[in-house]
Amino acid sequence: MIRSELIQKIADENPHLYQRDVEKIVNTIFDRITDAMAQGNRVELRGFGAFSVKKRDPRLGRNPRTGEAVEVDEKHVPFFKTGKLLRDRLNGL
């Protein structure tokens, strides 16, 4: 499911809301999650999962085309850990 499909589904299930309002709500939620993660915070959605940021240390990598060694800088990457309820639903429990 992509963002536009999510917005359309929520708008269809809530006919009392305008689609533009649903779009603002969804975008605000995603913006808040992104802002919190950019500040290094963890975002937990009970029953769904938790978003956090993990630090990857600098390392020595390889250029796949030439095989030459390349230094890869330290970076921060998003990480998602599923919640128990989501895992159970995916596994049919």
Side-chain angles (χ1 to χ4, degrees):
M1 176 178 283
I2 59 175
R3 184 184 297 228
S4 60
E5 291 172 342
L6 175 63
I7 291 168
Q8 187 62 51
K9 184 162 178 63
I10 293 172
D12 291 345
E13 291 177 0
N14 296 279
H16 61 284
L17 296 173
Y18 292 111
Q19 184 163 346
R20 67 177 181 267
D21 294 336
V22 173
E23 186 172 354
K24 286 180 187 175
I25 292 166
V26 169
N27 288 337
T28 300
I29 291 169
F30 288 148
D31 288 344
R32 295 302 157 258
I33 291 171
T34 303
D35 291 346
M37 290 177 66
Q39 295 173 9
N41 296 325
R42 181 173 185 264
V43 177
E44 182 176 336
L45 303 173
R46 294 285 169 132
F48 183 70
F51 297 92
S52 60
V53 178
K54 292 212 174 200
K55 179 183 154 200
R56 288 202 179 154
D57 293 329
R59 62 184 174 84
L60 192 61
R62 296 229 174 257
N63 181 333
R65 183 175 293 168
T66 64
E68 177 185 346
V70 178
E71 286 189 29
V72 179
D73 294 335
E74 170 187 292
K75 58 183 162 183
H76 294 84
V77 294
F79 179 75
F80 177 73
K81 182 175 180 185
T82 58
K84 184 178 182 329
L85 182 63
L86 178 59
R87 268 195 314 272
D88 289 348
R89 286 190 67 185
L90 291 175
N91 291 313
L93 299 177

